[in-house]
Amino acid sequence: MGGKAVAMYSPAYSQYTFSPDHPFQPKRLDLTMELINEMNLLLLEDLTDPVPALREELLLTHHVDFIDVVRRLSQPEEEMIYDRSGMGAGEAISPQKFGLGSEDTPVFPRMYEAARMVVGGTLKAAQLIVTGIVSHAVNFAGGLHHAQHAKAAGFCVFNDAAVAISYLRKNYPDMKIAYVDIDAHHGDGVQQLFYSDPQVLTISIHETGRYLFPGTGKIKELGEGMGYGYSVNVPLEAFTEDDSWMTSFDRVVIPCIQQFRPDLIVFQAGCDAHYLDPLTHLSCTTQIYSHASRVMHKLAHQVAGGKLLVLGGGGYDIWRVVPRAWTLVWAEIAGRSYEEQVAENWIEKFQGDSPYPLPRLMSDKIDDLPKIPRRQVIEEKNEIIVEQLLSEICWLKRKRKTTDIIMNIGY
Ligand SMILES: [Zn+2]
């Protein structure tokens, strides 16, 4: 399975930092790129520089007032005094109205520039794919799926995925796009922005919103108007493990993508479903990241001419989880085989900074996992949810059994 892949990367991505003790730490990108490199999975020609998104590009998704407020709030105070822009210096801004200034999504200096760079990376990745320069492009800085039309939310200032999808919808009106989101949190922002658009299928598999931000992502959220049926949600029980996660993913994602037949797939690979993640309650291992990437990669070649845009997202154990999870994603998308042993050079380089012993293997040993007492109940609940969901998706013809479908993509 071929197709040239590139990775969007710039040291400027590290400017997307809310504060030194905030859970969202862009250092995870550098740890990831270092691991990819030390695992001999990176060639110089794989790397592509992002360019900051233009204001007009942000306007494809975001409200003008919100964009202007982000821009104004992100200037250091001394510059705001001399602000000659339309809004006028000294005029009171209420950041809370735009989802900013909270503990989750505080204002930080140069926030506008930093957030524009993330969006620019995803947008350029989409452009490289749609113009046929590459088949696959990866922007691990992106996947900021919670940001809304006129509001920042959940560590996300601008919604890079939505801007890229809007750009494609505007410039290629016949194009159908599938967005598949495996972050442990519901991909609410992207879902909402395309809720009535039948040409954008959004699928999010996540921990149930009963106890977790943002609280949405129920199976009954199916879209509206012409878009009814094209928002798909798989809310999983807390403490779901690999087998149940992968079964649920396959049973929904594979038939939906095979029948929807998108022209391009966007894959948000947030890696906070891992059992070590401090913010969520799923109990998966790095295995699901290899698995989901392999399925998305195969589906992209099977139905979308190989067009696959891969984004990052959540992932808050930046030492033990994110670098390995995203290295596995990259290896799959770039079509390169990797050693099971984590590169010794990488461990030596970062062990001193890490508060935990760094893992020595790319996969997690099942013995490492804490025992899940209600395993069978959890699996059964997930099965019921998947069944109910599949029966709600009006356009999905369910003639074939899942096992046949899985055979069809060859594993
Ligand atoms: Zn998340």
Side-chain angles (χ1 to χ4, degrees):
M1 208 164 35
K4 184 176 162 52
V6 291
M8 313 304 297
Y9 178 76
S10 161
Y13 279 155
S14 66
Q15 287 161 11
Y16 194 91
T17 303
F18 294 100
S19 70
D21 50 2
H22 192 279
F24 190 97
Q25 284 300 327
K27 184 178 176 63
R28 64 202 185 126
L29 291 178
D30 296 326
L31 293 168
T32 300
M33 296 316 287
E34 292 268 8
L35 181 59
I36 291 174
N37 188 37
E38 293 292 355
M39 297 291 285
N40 294 319
L41 296 168
L42 195 67
L43 308 170
L44 202 57
E45 67 258 33
D46 298 335
L47 291 174
T48 300
D49 280 336
V51 284
L54 304 170
R55 192 165 178 278
E56 302 88 277
E57 292 165 339
L58 298 174
L59 281 166
L60 292 166
T61 289
H62 293 293
H63 194 285
V64 61
D65 292 349
F66 171 52
I67 297 170
D68 287 339
V69 161
V70 173
R71 183 176 55 78
R72 285 191 64 200
L73 287 172
S74 62
Q75 295 170 28
E77 274 177 41
E78 64 273 22
E79 284 177 37
M80 280 182 79
I81 297 166
Y82 300 104
D83 186 3
R84 292 284 177 269
S85 71
M87 293 183 80
E91 197 179 297
I93 304 174
S94 158
Q96 281 76 15
K97 197 179 142 199
F98 298 95
L100 291 160
S102 61
E103 199 182 322
D104 271 4
T105 319
V107 171
F108 62 93
R110 309 269 172 215
M111 174 172 67
Y112 183 57
E113 288 74 14
R116 277 170 62 211
M117 190 62 94
V118 173
V119 177
T122 299
L123 199 51
K124 186 167 168 185
Q127 288 162 342
L128 290 171
I129 295 167
V130 77
T131 53
I133 294 168
V134 300
S135 298
H136 320 314
V138 179
N139 186 29
F140 287 128
L144 304 184
H145 59 174
H146 296 306
Q148 302 167 19
H149 174 58
K151 220 173 168 199
F155 317 158
C156 306
V157 178
F158 296 135
N159 194 319
D160 58 294
V163 172
I165 295 170
S166 301
Y167 170 86
L168 295 169
R169 290 287 289 111
K170 181 176 173 222
N171 291 284
Y172 305 87
D174 297 331
M175 182 176 260
K176 286 195 294 181
I177 298 150
Y179 170 84
V180 177
D181 182 322
I182 66 166
D183 195 288
H185 300 92
H186 176 224
D188 59 340
V190 183
Q191 170 177 297
Q192 192 53 43
L193 285 158
F194 302 99
Y195 210 48
S196 57
D197 187 344
Q199 279 175 245
V200 179
L201 167 65
T202 63
I203 306 176
S204 178
I205 181 167
H206 46 263
E207 177 182 334
T208 163
R210 279 202 300 277
Y211 316 106
L212 188 69
F213 178 89
T216 48
K218 299 182 180 73
I219 57 173
K220 297 282 185 191
E221 293 168 33
L222 285 158
E224 64 188 8
M226 295 290 281
Y228 186 81
Y230 297 96
S231 291
V232 173
N233 287 291
V234 191
L236 298 174
E237 288 294 300
F239 306 110
T240 293
E241 295 170 280
D242 284 2
D243 285 346
S244 181
W245 191 97
M246 293 189 291
T247 304
S248 307
F249 177 85
D250 289 354
R251 290 195 60 209
V252 176
V253 172
I254 296 172
C256 282
I257 300 288
Q258 285 179 334
Q259 288 188 36
F260 183 70
R261 301 197 70 79
D263 302 293
L264 184 145
I265 297 175
V266 182
F267 173 41
Q268 197 267 20
C271 58
D272 46 4
H274 194 278
Y275 75 94
L276 289 174
D277 194 275
L279 298 193
T280 68
H281 318 95
L282 296 176
S283 297
C284 297
T285 75
T286 55
Q287 181 182 202
I288 67 164
Y289 302 106
S290 310
H291 175 83
S293 307
R294 190 161 58 242
V295 172
M296 295 320 301
H297 191 189
K298 285 189 176 182
L299 286 170
H301 282 284
Q302 195 178 62
V303 305
K307 292 189 183 65
L308 178 61
L309 168 57
V310 181
L311 307 174
Y316 307 101
D317 189 317
I318 69 166
W319 301 100
R320 294 173 296 182
V321 177
V322 182
R324 286 185 306 149
W326 286 350
T327 296
L328 293 169
V329 173
W330 169 255
E332 171 57 43
I333 303 306
R336 297 186 190 146
S337 55
Y338 58 90
E339 302 285 332
E340 176 54 19
Q341 211 75 31
V342 172
E344 202 57 49
N345 285 347
W346 184 83
I347 297 176
E348 273 172 30
K349 195 164 176 182
F350 296 110
Q351 185 57 78
D353 299 333
S354 169
Y356 316 102
L358 291 172
R360 310 201 74 88
L361 296 175
M362 292 301 284
S363 56
D364 299 294
K365 290 196 294 295
I366 298 299
D367 312 344
D368 297 347
L369 263 85
K371 283 274 170 293
I372 306 297
R374 294 168 51 248
R375 173 181 293 166
Q376 208 186 334
V377 178
I378 291 167
E379 288 178 359
E380 283 166 9
K381 282 192 173 177
N382 288 340
E383 273 173 41
I384 291 167
I385 283 288
V386 166
E387 269 312 311
Q388 282 178 348
L389 169 66
L390 291 172
S391 69
E392 297 273 357
I393 305 173
C394 41
W395 51 273
L396 199 62
K397 300 173 208 74
R398 301 180 62 203
K399 285 181 194 139
R400 291 175 297 174
K401 289 204 181 93
T402 314
T403 44
D404 302 333
I405 295 167
I406 291 171
M407 298 271 287
N408 270 348
I409 72 159
Y411 65 84

PDB file of all heavy atoms in Angstrom, residues 170-188:
ATOM      1  N   LYS A 170     -15.609  24.494  -0.174  1.00  0.00           N
ATOM      2  CA  LYS A 170     -15.793  25.712  -0.967  1.00  0.00           C
ATOM      3  C   LYS A 170     -15.129  25.589  -2.350  1.00  0.00           C
ATOM      4  O   LYS A 170     -15.707  25.984  -3.365  1.00  0.00           O
ATOM      5  CB  LYS A 170     -15.191  26.897  -0.214  1.00  0.00           C
ATOM      6  CG  LYS A 170     -15.345  28.207  -0.943  1.00  0.00           C
ATOM      7  CD  LYS A 170     -14.824  29.373  -0.126  1.00  0.00           C
ATOM      8  CE  LYS A 170     -14.855  30.628  -0.969  1.00  0.00           C
ATOM      9  NZ  LYS A 170     -13.645  31.440  -0.788  1.00  0.00           N
ATOM     10  N   ASN A 171     -13.933  25.028  -2.377  1.00  0.00           N
ATOM     11  CA  ASN A 171     -13.167  24.988  -3.620  1.00  0.00           C
ATOM     12  C   ASN A 171     -13.428  23.760  -4.475  1.00  0.00           C
ATOM     13  O   ASN A 171     -13.076  23.743  -5.650  1.00  0.00           O
ATOM     14  CB  ASN A 171     -11.675  25.111  -3.308  1.00  0.00           C
ATOM     15  CG  ASN A 171     -11.341  26.507  -2.806  1.00  0.00           C
ATOM     16  OD1 ASN A 171     -11.274  27.456  -3.581  1.00  0.00           O
ATOM     17  ND2 ASN A 171     -11.191  26.637  -1.493  1.00  0.00           N
ATOM     18  N   TYR A 172     -13.984  22.727  -3.876  1.00  0.00           N
ATOM     19  CA  TYR A 172     -14.305  21.484  -4.602  1.00  0.00           C
ATOM     20  C   TYR A 172     -15.722  21.082  -4.206  1.00  0.00           C
ATOM     21  O   TYR A 172     -15.926  20.135  -3.441  1.00  0.00           O
ATOM     22  CB  TYR A 172     -13.297  20.377  -4.245  1.00  0.00           C
ATOM     23  CG  TYR A 172     -11.854  20.783  -4.481  1.00  0.00           C
ATOM     24  CD1 TYR A 172     -11.131  21.459  -3.495  1.00  0.00           C
ATOM     25  CD2 TYR A 172     -11.214  20.496  -5.688  1.00  0.00           C
ATOM     26  CE1 TYR A 172      -9.810  21.849  -3.708  1.00  0.00           C
ATOM     27  CE2 TYR A 172      -9.896  20.884  -5.908  1.00  0.00           C
ATOM     28  CZ  TYR A 172      -9.203  21.557  -4.908  1.00  0.00           C
ATOM     29  OH  TYR A 172      -7.911  21.942  -5.127  1.00  0.00           O
ATOM     30  N   PRO A 173     -16.722  21.789  -4.735  1.00  0.00           N
ATOM     31  CA  PRO A 173     -18.090  21.640  -4.216  1.00  0.00           C
ATOM     32  C   PRO A 173     -18.672  20.231  -4.308  1.00  0.00           C
ATOM     33  O   PRO A 173     -19.568  19.887  -3.544  1.00  0.00           O
ATOM     34  CB  PRO A 173     -18.907  22.609  -5.080  1.00  0.00           C
ATOM     35  CG  PRO A 173     -17.920  23.516  -5.709  1.00  0.00           C
ATOM     36  CD  PRO A 173     -16.632  22.787  -5.804  1.00  0.00           C
ATOM     37  N   ASP A 174     -18.171  19.412  -5.241  1.00  0.00           N
ATOM     38  CA  ASP A 174     -18.732  18.059  -5.358  1.00  0.00           C
ATOM     39  C   ASP A 174     -18.094  17.059  -4.398  1.00  0.00           C
ATOM     40  O   ASP A 174     -18.528  15.917  -4.298  1.00  0.00           O
ATOM     41  CB  ASP A 174     -18.555  17.531  -6.794  1.00  0.00           C
ATOM     42  CG  ASP A 174     -19.324  18.383  -7.784  1.00  0.00           C
ATOM     43  OD1 ASP A 174     -20.365  18.960  -7.373  1.00  0.00           O
ATOM     44  OD2 ASP A 174     -18.883  18.491  -8.943  1.00  0.00           O
ATOM     45  N   MET A 175     -17.034  17.494  -3.742  1.00  0.00           N
ATOM     46  CA  MET A 175     -16.253  16.562  -2.938  1.00  0.00           C
ATOM     47  C   MET A 175     -17.016  16.092  -1.698  1.00  0.00           C
ATOM     48  O   MET A 175     -17.678  16.877  -1.032  1.00  0.00           O
ATOM     49  CB  MET A 175     -14.953  17.261  -2.527  1.00  0.00           C
ATOM     50  CG  MET A 175     -14.026  16.385  -1.734  1.00  0.00           C
ATOM     51  SD  MET A 175     -12.474  17.241  -1.382  1.00  0.00           S
ATOM     52  CE  MET A 175     -11.455  16.525  -2.624  1.00  0.00           C
ATOM     53  N   LYS A 176     -16.897  14.787  -1.424  1.00  0.00           N
ATOM     54  CA  LYS A 176     -17.439  14.244  -0.178  1.00  0.00           C
ATOM     55  C   LYS A 176     -16.267  13.959   0.764  1.00  0.00           C
ATOM     56  O   LYS A 176     -15.246  13.404   0.345  1.00  0.00           O
ATOM     57  CB  LYS A 176     -18.186  12.935  -0.446  1.00  0.00           C
ATOM     58  CG  LYS A 176     -19.522  13.145  -1.129  1.00  0.00           C
ATOM     59  CD  LYS A 176     -20.392  11.889  -1.040  1.00  0.00           C
ATOM     60  CE  LYS A 176     -19.785  10.732  -1.826  1.00  0.00           C
ATOM     61  NZ  LYS A 176     -20.619   9.523  -1.769  1.00  0.00           N
ATOM     62  N   ILE A 177     -16.429  14.335   2.019  1.00  0.00           N
ATOM     63  CA  ILE A 177     -15.338  14.198   2.986  1.00  0.00           C
ATOM     64  C   ILE A 177     -15.832  13.404   4.186  1.00  0.00           C
ATOM     65  O   ILE A 177     -16.927  13.660   4.710  1.00  0.00           O
ATOM     66  CB  ILE A 177     -14.849  15.593   3.437  1.00  0.00           C
ATOM     67  CG1 ILE A 177     -14.292  16.360   2.221  1.00  0.00           C
ATOM     68  CG2 ILE A 177     -13.784  15.488   4.529  1.00  0.00           C
ATOM     69  CD1 ILE A 177     -14.451  17.841   2.306  1.00  0.00           C
ATOM     70  N   ALA A 178     -15.018  12.445   4.620  1.00  0.00           N
ATOM     71  CA  ALA A 178     -15.322  11.733   5.872  1.00  0.00           C
ATOM     72  C   ALA A 178     -14.318  12.168   6.933  1.00  0.00           C
ATOM     73  O   ALA A 178     -13.106  12.228   6.663  1.00  0.00           O
ATOM     74  CB  ALA A 178     -15.248  10.227   5.666  1.00  0.00           C
ATOM     75  N   TYR A 179     -14.822  12.500   8.098  1.00  0.00           N
ATOM     76  CA  TYR A 179     -13.988  12.895   9.233  1.00  0.00           C
ATOM     77  C   TYR A 179     -14.148  11.838  10.321  1.00  0.00           C
ATOM     78  O   TYR A 179     -15.267  11.607  10.804  1.00  0.00           O
ATOM     79  CB  TYR A 179     -14.450  14.271   9.729  1.00  0.00           C
ATOM     80  CG  TYR A 179     -13.831  14.699  11.041  1.00  0.00           C
ATOM     81  CD1 TYR A 179     -12.582  15.303  11.084  1.00  0.00           C
ATOM     82  CD2 TYR A 179     -14.507  14.501  12.246  1.00  0.00           C
ATOM     83  CE1 TYR A 179     -12.016  15.700  12.294  1.00  0.00           C
ATOM     84  CE2 TYR A 179     -13.955  14.892  13.455  1.00  0.00           C
ATOM     85  CZ  TYR A 179     -12.708  15.493  13.468  1.00  0.00           C
ATOM     86  OH  TYR A 179     -12.145  15.879  14.664  1.00  0.00           O
ATOM     87  N   VAL A 180     -13.068  11.166  10.671  1.00  0.00           N
ATOM     88  CA  VAL A 180     -13.116  10.097  11.672  1.00  0.00           C
ATOM     89  C   VAL A 180     -12.248  10.509  12.856  1.00  0.00           C
ATOM     90  O   VAL A 180     -11.065  10.802  12.692  1.00  0.00           O
ATOM     91  CB  VAL A 180     -12.623   8.757  11.078  1.00  0.00           C
ATOM     92  CG1 VAL A 180     -12.617   7.662  12.155  1.00  0.00           C
ATOM     93  CG2 VAL A 180     -13.484   8.343   9.892  1.00  0.00           C
ATOM     94  N   ASP A 181     -12.845  10.547  14.046  1.00  0.00           N
ATOM     95  CA  ASP A 181     -12.214  11.150  15.228  1.00  0.00           C
ATOM     96  C   ASP A 181     -12.144  10.097  16.331  1.00  0.00           C
ATOM     97  O   ASP A 181     -13.175   9.635  16.823  1.00  0.00           O
ATOM     98  CB  ASP A 181     -13.118  12.335  15.645  1.00  0.00           C
ATOM     99  CG  ASP A 181     -12.591  13.125  16.827  1.00  0.00           C
ATOM    100  OD1 ASP A 181     -12.032  12.519  17.748  1.00  0.00           O
ATOM    101  OD2 ASP A 181     -12.785  14.357  16.830  1.00  0.00           O
ATOM    102  N   ILE A 182     -10.909   9.706  16.720  1.00  0.00           N
ATOM    103  CA  ILE A 182     -10.767   8.667  17.755  1.00  0.00           C
ATOM    104  C   ILE A 182     -10.309   9.243  19.096  1.00  0.00           C
ATOM    105  O   ILE A 182      -9.976   8.489  20.012  1.00  0.00           O
ATOM    106  CB  ILE A 182      -9.814   7.528  17.305  1.00  0.00           C
ATOM    107  CG1 ILE A 182      -8.374   8.027  17.134  1.00  0.00           C
ATOM    108  CG2 ILE A 182     -10.331   6.873  16.032  1.00  0.00           C
ATOM    109  CD1 ILE A 182      -7.357   6.881  17.020  1.00  0.00           C
ATOM    110  N   ASP A 183     -10.265  10.559  19.217  1.00  0.00           N
ATOM    111  CA  ASP A 183      -9.959  11.195  20.497  1.00  0.00           C
ATOM    112  C   ASP A 183     -10.948  10.684  21.558  1.00  0.00           C
ATOM    113  O   ASP A 183     -12.115  10.429  21.244  1.00  0.00           O
ATOM    114  CB  ASP A 183     -10.123  12.708  20.316  1.00  0.00           C
ATOM    115  CG  ASP A 183      -9.501  13.523  21.425  1.00  0.00           C
ATOM    116  OD1 ASP A 183     -10.057  13.524  22.550  1.00  0.00           O
ATOM    117  OD2 ASP A 183      -8.470  14.169  21.171  1.00  0.00           O
ATOM    118  N   ALA A 184     -10.495  10.550  22.792  1.00  0.00           N
ATOM    119  CA  ALA A 184     -11.389  10.058  23.856  1.00  0.00           C
ATOM    120  C   ALA A 184     -12.517  11.040  24.154  1.00  0.00           C
ATOM    121  O   ALA A 184     -13.527  10.677  24.754  1.00  0.00           O
ATOM    122  CB  ALA A 184     -10.594   9.782  25.120  1.00  0.00           C
ATOM    123  N   HIS A 185     -12.329  12.301  23.756  1.00  0.00           N
ATOM    124  CA  HIS A 185     -13.392  13.300  23.906  1.00  0.00           C
ATOM    125  C   HIS A 185     -14.182  13.411  22.594  1.00  0.00           C
ATOM    126  O   HIS A 185     -13.601  13.291  21.510  1.00  0.00           O
ATOM    127  CB  HIS A 185     -12.798  14.673  24.245  1.00  0.00           C
ATOM    128  CG  HIS A 185     -12.017  14.693  25.523  1.00  0.00           C
ATOM    129  ND1 HIS A 185     -10.662  14.462  25.560  1.00  0.00           N
ATOM    130  CD2 HIS A 185     -12.409  14.905  26.799  1.00  0.00           C
ATOM    131  CE1 HIS A 185     -10.248  14.535  26.822  1.00  0.00           C
ATOM    132  NE2 HIS A 185     -11.280  14.800  27.595  1.00  0.00           N
ATOM    133  N   HIS A 186     -15.470  13.647  22.712  1.00  0.00           N
ATOM    134  CA  HIS A 186     -16.318  13.786  21.527  1.00  0.00           C
ATOM    135  C   HIS A 186     -15.835  14.921  20.619  1.00  0.00           C
ATOM    136  O   HIS A 186     -15.504  16.010  21.101  1.00  0.00           O
ATOM    137  CB  HIS A 186     -17.764  14.067  21.983  1.00  0.00           C
ATOM    138  CG  HIS A 186     -18.701  14.328  20.851  1.00  0.00           C
ATOM    139  ND1 HIS A 186     -19.623  15.350  20.871  1.00  0.00           N
ATOM    140  CD2 HIS A 186     -18.843  13.703  19.657  1.00  0.00           C
ATOM    141  CE1 HIS A 186     -20.303  15.334  19.739  1.00  0.00           C
ATOM    142  NE2 HIS A 186     -19.856  14.348  18.993  1.00  0.00           N
ATOM    143  N   GLY A 187     -15.830  14.677  19.301  1.00  0.00           N
ATOM    144  CA  GLY A 187     -15.428  15.712  18.340  1.00  0.00           C
ATOM    145  C   GLY A 187     -16.561  16.681  18.068  1.00  0.00           C
ATOM    146  O   GLY A 187     -17.043  16.815  16.940  1.00  0.00           O
ATOM    147  N   ASP A 188     -16.981  17.392  19.101  1.00  0.00           N
ATOM    148  CA  ASP A 188     -18.213  18.194  19.046  1.00  0.00           C
ATOM    149  C   ASP A 188     -18.146  19.379  18.085  1.00  0.00           C
ATOM    150  O   ASP A 188     -19.117  19.664  17.384  1.00  0.00           O
ATOM    151  CB  ASP A 188     -18.621  18.664  20.455  1.00  0.00           C
ATOM    152  CG  ASP A 188     -17.548  19.500  21.140  1.00  0.00           C
ATOM    153  OD1 ASP A 188     -16.359  19.418  20.731  1.00  0.00           O
ATOM    154  OD2 ASP A 188     -17.879  20.238  22.092  1.00  0.00           O
TER     155      ASP A 188
END
